[in-house]
Amino acid sequence: MWERVVQDGRWALWLVCACYLVVVYITSRGLIGAPRYRLFQARVHDCRARAAVLAATISPESTESTGSVDSTDSAAKSAVAKSAVLKAVNERLDGFGVGGQVVWRLLPQRAVIAIPLSKLAAAWRALHHAETQLLRLEHPEEITLRSLALRLRLASDPDPVNNSLGTELAAHAGDAPAERALLIAATEDLHRQEDDDFEREYEHQRIALWLALTGIAAVLLLGLALDHRLSMLLGGLGGFLSPLIGVMRSQRPTSWGVLVLAPVGGALAAPGGLLLVRMLADPELNLLGQVFLHNSWGAPAQPISLAVALLFGFSGTLFSRLALAATGQLVPTAGRTARPGPPGRP
């Protein structure tokens, strides 16, 4: 059986698809989420440092007020409340390090083997909530500094809504309670925008990865059913070269979805393109000439057929144009066959 597989050449297509599945898995579980996860870890360390500083300044507050018993009790209650908030924040931060909460690890403190995007998005929302809770405990001087930094950031933001937030913060500068409340509200709004943007991006990437996995399954099925395995491999090569050349020519940045889908789409477009070429080169249509009649669907191993498959994988526009040309040849024919003939003579 293995000798038959080797002789048929199916092992090459299977091997390429298996390797590409590994690449897709690494892309979805590592390369896409890794930059955001590293930034997430840095922000968690910053939150831990802020929580440690705040915890060191809570204890003396209960003894600062000596004017009356009521003021002392109020300071003690405030210190207890702040301690409870810090405890909850630290528990949340400690939870991020538990295996399976954000990333998948071989062991609790060992190397990361996967970063699910859904877990990462939920962890960012939880981290932003913890950062907001810390803002409620910061000293007035720290609130003033953070408010100034946020105003400078919003001043250069092209969004007019964010600019209005910066203007409102500037209008309440010096009023500690109002400035704190506005800073917390503006920070929460910016965090919400950031989370929504990244979750939309993650959703697009998940859709692209699902299409890539489905496309690989279709490539394997077509490779088993049709004798176009070599043309599909060249189509996949063309799909890989297309975004590669675009990046080398310093065009606009290519998204992860395009990079993952391009080889799969090229592999699927190659046999379909050869079938369209065979149709348009048929003697009854004769749009492409006799050269493509004998170097297309019926002879996929010919050099011209392989070159055409490579071109179809490289250019999705070529496939769409030929598909439109084929549609243009079919629609008038359907219209003529559906049109009723002249009435017969009595």
Side-chain angles (χ1 to χ4, degrees), residues 202-219:
Y202 292 158
E203 183 65 23
H204 294 160
Q205 293 168 354
R206 282 193 290 266
I207 293 173
L209 292 170
W210 181 86
L211 290 174
L213 293 175
T214 308
I216 291 174
V219 168

Side-chain angles (χ1 to χ4, degrees), residues 224-298:
L224 293 174
L226 303 176
D227 190 19
H228 284 261
R229 291 179 290 273
L230 186 56
S231 60
M232 295 175 73
L233 289 174
L234 285 175
L237 176 60
F240 173 76
L241 291 176
S242 179
L244 175 63
I245 293 177
V247 172
M248 292 175 63
R249 294 175 60 185
S250 300
Q251 295 178 354
R252 61 182 181 180
T254 304
S255 65
W256 277 111
V258 173
L259 293 175
V260 170
L261 283 177
V264 180
L268 293 175
L274 290 176
L275 185 59
L276 288 177
V277 169
R278 174 61 181 83
M279 171 190 169
L280 295 176
D282 191 88
E284 296 185 4
L285 297 177
N286 196 24
L287 295 178
L288 295 180
Q290 294 296 318
V291 175
F292 293 102
L293 178 63
H294 302 291
N295 293 276
S296 57
W297 179 262

Side-chain angles (χ1 to χ4, degrees), residues 18 55 60 86 94 113 127-128 132 163 167-168 179 192 201 214 219 230 234 248 287-288 332 342 344:
L86 283 178
D94 292 338
I113 61 173
L127 177 61
H128 286 156
T132 303
N163 282 331
T167 303
E168 192 169 356
E179 188 174 20
R192 180 188 57 79
E201 181 182 350
T214 308
V219 168
L230 186 56
L234 285 175
M248 292 175 63
L287 295 178
L288 295 180

Side-chain angles (χ1 to χ4, degrees), residues 135-136 138-140 143-144 146-148 150-151 164-187:
L135 280 179
R136 303 177 188 275
E138 295 285 1
H139 293 283
I143 292 296
T144 302
R146 290 185 178 273
S147 177
L148 178 59
L150 185 59
R151 291 201 305 268
S164 65
L165 285 176
T167 303
E168 192 169 356
L169 276 173
H172 292 81
D175 185 359
E179 188 174 20
R180 183 188 295 269
L182 285 173
L183 177 62
I184 293 174
T187 303

